[in-house]
Amino acid sequence: MSFPEVLSIGEILIDFISDEIGTLDKVNSFQKCPGGAPANFIVGLARLGINTGFIGKVANDFFGDYLLNILKEEGVNVEFMVKAKSNERTTLAFVSLDQDSERDFLFYRKDAADMKLEPEEVNLEAVKKAQFLNFGTVSLTDEPCRSATFKAIEECRKTKGKVCLDPNIRLDLWVDKNELRNMLDQALLSTDIFYPSTEELQFILDDEEIDEQKAVDEVFEKYPINIIALKKGNEGCLVKQRDGFFSAIPSFEVPVIDTTGAGDGFNAGFVFGLLDGKSLEEAGILGCAVGALAIQKKGAMTSLPTREELNQFLINQKVKIPL
């Protein structure tokens, strides 16, 4: 068996994205799109030509079949996924877009299949062979998926794989914010590569008036993280390696259709750059480029570029990074 270079663990779900601008109580129709941050990330890497796999649980329903088939079609290894045997359903997220194409989410996740992944259902052999393991905090909301996620992290670190954390903070999925902070603290103690947004960094440090460089250094002081890529939306990103220098990377000016999945696209492009032996700054540029391509189409997973599309975009932008 050929094991994936990169694994992602966590939720895969259905995004219902509004066809109209406005709040959820005002819109009338939605477009069905596959989603879930860990799944978007891994499809982003698969489209860029990386050998990928996904660890998660899907419902034994029409949506579960749909999501499994999507991953297969995208070239993601689904041998490590589990199909629920009981009455769990697929998580649904209804997404509304405002005038600036920014999003609001409403989740339907009670007794969802992705929350029921058991620790013994994690394929440890695949985890041990992976160079990178990506996860987020949504899979830390409930048991048993919380224990399953931490088990995968523990095994990855034993074999010197790189653990990557996308906070993907969704406050409405947490009954207690303090529990979220505790889970973030535990997760960050086992993280090698961290890619938060500015708003997520503010939450983690409990400070809405952060100086970004000081805040990044504060995270380095508190946790044994090696690389931080701070996602700043239309302002680009700020990247730094422990004991290294900051690189501020501007965003690309492109028309914005839908920002759903932009951060997941950045994460995929950034890890792709690291896998391809690029410098930290080049990896940041690739992350921004994938994010820029993602926001020009509707949907998260469906908007992610292929390697050819990424290469052509870089050529058009006069960016000299060979792929």
Side-chain angles (χ1 to χ4, degrees):
M1 177 187 291
S2 176
F3 288 104
E5 295 174 87
V6 183
L7 283 171
S8 196
I9 184 170
E11 73 280 3
I12 182 168
L13 50 85
I14 305 289
D15 285 326
F16 283 97
I17 300 176
S18 61
D19 288 322
E20 309 150 66
I21 299 297
T23 57
L24 286 171
D25 61 325
K26 302 294 184 184
V27 300
N28 296 304
S29 61
F30 299 84
Q31 179 178 330
K32 181 186 76 174
C33 298
N40 298 334
F41 166 85
I42 211 66
V43 167
L45 279 172
R47 288 190 176 184
L48 295 173
I50 301 301
N51 182 2
T52 61
F54 192 78
I55 298 174
K57 199 167 196 173
V58 295
N60 187 18
D61 61 13
F62 293 111
F63 284 148
D65 292 339
Y66 166 73
L67 292 170
L68 269 178
N69 288 333
I70 287 289
L71 290 182
K72 289 178 185 177
E73 290 169 5
E74 293 289 352
V76 177
N77 190 327
V78 298
E79 293 178 45
F80 320 115
M81 295 188 68
V82 181
K83 202 166 190 179
K85 295 179 181 178
S86 50
N87 295 321
E88 293 91 352
R89 290 290 180 253
T90 299
T91 296
L92 307 179
F94 288 84
V95 187
S96 64
L97 304 171
D98 65 16
Q99 295 291 341
D100 297 317
S101 298
E102 291 298 332
R103 310 149 297 155
D104 269 323
F105 290 87
L106 177 62
F107 288 91
Y108 287 83
R109 195 171 176 244
K110 184 178 179 181
D111 294 324
D114 63 273
M115 299 164 62
K116 304 297 183 180
L117 180 68
E118 301 276 354
E120 57 268 23
E121 292 173 327
V122 175
N123 188 307
L124 298 183
E125 193 62 27
V127 173
K128 291 174 182 178
K129 298 289 185 181
Q131 294 182 44
F132 292 84
L133 174 70
N134 173 80
F135 76 107
T137 60
V138 172
S139 63
L140 304 181
T141 55
D142 297 270
E143 292 290 1
C145 60
R146 177 185 296 173
S147 292
T149 302
F150 278 121
K151 183 173 183 178
I153 292 167
E154 180 184 359
E155 289 300 319
C156 182
R157 290 181 66 81
K158 283 180 183 178
T159 51
K160 309 301 182 184
K162 303 300 182 187
V163 175
C164 309
L165 172 58
D166 170 20
N168 191 32
I169 294 173
R170 298 285 178 254
L171 291 177
D172 56 336
L173 294 179
W174 295 84
V175 176
D176 183 353
K177 287 185 182 179
N178 288 328
E179 184 180 21
L180 167 57
R181 292 186 186 281
N182 289 336
M183 288 298 101
L184 272 166
D185 187 66
Q186 188 175 340
L188 286 164
L189 289 170
S190 299
T191 294
D192 298 289
I193 299 169
F194 183 40
Y195 21 64
S197 68
T198 299
E199 295 75 18
E200 287 166 338
L201 195 57
Q202 289 170 337
F203 177 85
I204 290 165
L205 297 176
D206 198 16
D207 185 355
E208 294 183 0
E209 302 295 331
I210 63 170
D211 175 287
E212 290 170 341
Q213 292 195 12
K214 289 181 180 177
V216 167
D217 281 336
E218 187 176 339
V219 174
F220 275 126
E221 289 171 10
K222 190 172 182 181
Y223 302 103
I225 296 168
N226 186 41
I227 292 173
I228 296 177
L230 180 63
K231 295 175 287 189
K232 299 171 61 181
N234 61 9
E235 295 181 15
C237 69
L238 187 68
V239 297
K240 186 184 181 185
Q241 191 159 10
R242 178 176 292 277
D243 301 326
F245 298 99
F246 282 100
S247 291
I249 298 160
S251 62
F252 294 93
E253 292 189 17
V254 296
V256 181
I257 302 300
D258 177 10
T259 58
T260 309
D264 306 328
F266 174 91
N267 301 342
F270 185 70
V271 171
F272 169 72
L274 297 179
L275 267 170
D276 204 43
K278 307 302 184 191
S279 69
L280 195 61
E281 182 177 4
E282 289 172 327
I285 293 170
L286 291 175
C288 287
V290 174
L293 284 161
I295 63 176
Q296 296 182 66
K297 297 178 183 178
K298 180 163 279 193
M301 194 179 294
T302 50
S303 68
L304 296 164
T306 64
R307 188 170 183 145
E308 292 73 22
E309 290 170 334
L310 175 59
N311 190 50
Q312 188 58 54
F313 179 79
L314 293 172
I315 291 171
N316 294 343
Q317 295 289 329
K318 297 180 171 53
V319 176
K320 295 180 180 180
I321 300 179
L323 300 184

